[in-house]
Amino acid sequence: MAKYLLLKHYRGAPAAVNDVPMDRWTPAEIDAHMTYMDDFAKRLEESGEYVDGQALKPEGAWVRSDGDGRPPVTDGPFAETKDLIAGWMIIDVDAWERAVELAGELSAAPGAGGKPIHEWLEVRPLFPAPPTVDD
C-alpha cells in the first residue's frame, strides 16, 4: 500500500467546470458538498483506504524561526489566496492508478446548483515512513 495526499485548492489550479466560489453557494449547496465529502471518506474508511482529511480555513500566517532565543517571525511575506489549500485527504491505496481514480471521483463533489464541480485536485505521493530500529 502507498499513501497519497489529495489537495483541494482555493485557487491556483486550472478552473473547475462548475467554477463558482463556495462563498457564493447557498447553505443547501454547501451542505450537499460537505455530505458528499463525508460520505466519500466513510466509504474509504470501510474499504481501509482512508487515512485522514481536513478542510482548512483561508486565514493563516507564514512563520519562521528568527534564531536561537528569538521569537518566531509571523509577518510577511504572505501567501496569495491562489496559493492557499482548501483541504486535504490522505489515502492509502494499492497503486497510483487507484489514487487517480479516487481523486477523479472526489473531483465530482456537488457545487453551485447541485452540479458536480469537476475541480482539479493535486495528487502527491507521500514518502514512506522511515524504518524503525527494534531493540
Side-chain angles (χ1 to χ4, degrees), residues 3-130:
K3 291 185 176 119
Y4 293 89
L5 178 64
L6 308 181
L7 290 171
K8 294 176 66 74
H9 293 271
Y10 281 116
R11 298 282 179 265
V17 173
N18 185 0
D19 195 25
V20 178
M22 190 181 258
D23 62 0
R24 296 195 318 203
W25 296 1
T26 66
E29 291 166 344
I30 292 171
D31 287 345
H33 180 81
M34 298 309 293
T35 297
Y36 183 98
M37 301 293 290
D38 288 342
D39 290 347
F40 183 82
K42 286 176 188 168
R43 188 167 48 83
L44 294 184
E45 282 177 354
E46 291 169 3
S47 70
E49 296 174 306
Y50 181 82
V51 176
D52 198 8
Q54 293 291 318
L56 301 174
K57 292 184 175 185
E59 57 270 351
W62 287 97
V63 177
R64 73 158 204 244
S65 167
D66 206 22
D68 288 340
R70 299 179 72 178
V73 175
T74 58
D75 55 285
F78 294 101
E80 295 180 25
T81 302
K82 69 178 184 177
D83 297 325
L84 295 177
I85 296 172
W88 52 269
M89 181 179 288
I90 297 175
I91 57 174
D92 193 357
V93 295
D94 289 328
W96 167 257
E97 292 78 15
R98 178 66 175 154
V100 169
E101 176 186 348
L102 291 173
E105 187 177 334
L106 189 58
S107 164
K115 296 178 182 173
I117 300 171
H118 297 295
E119 67 183 325
W120 289 91
L121 298 176
E122 185 177 353
V123 180
R124 297 189 53 190
L126 275 64
F127 280 113

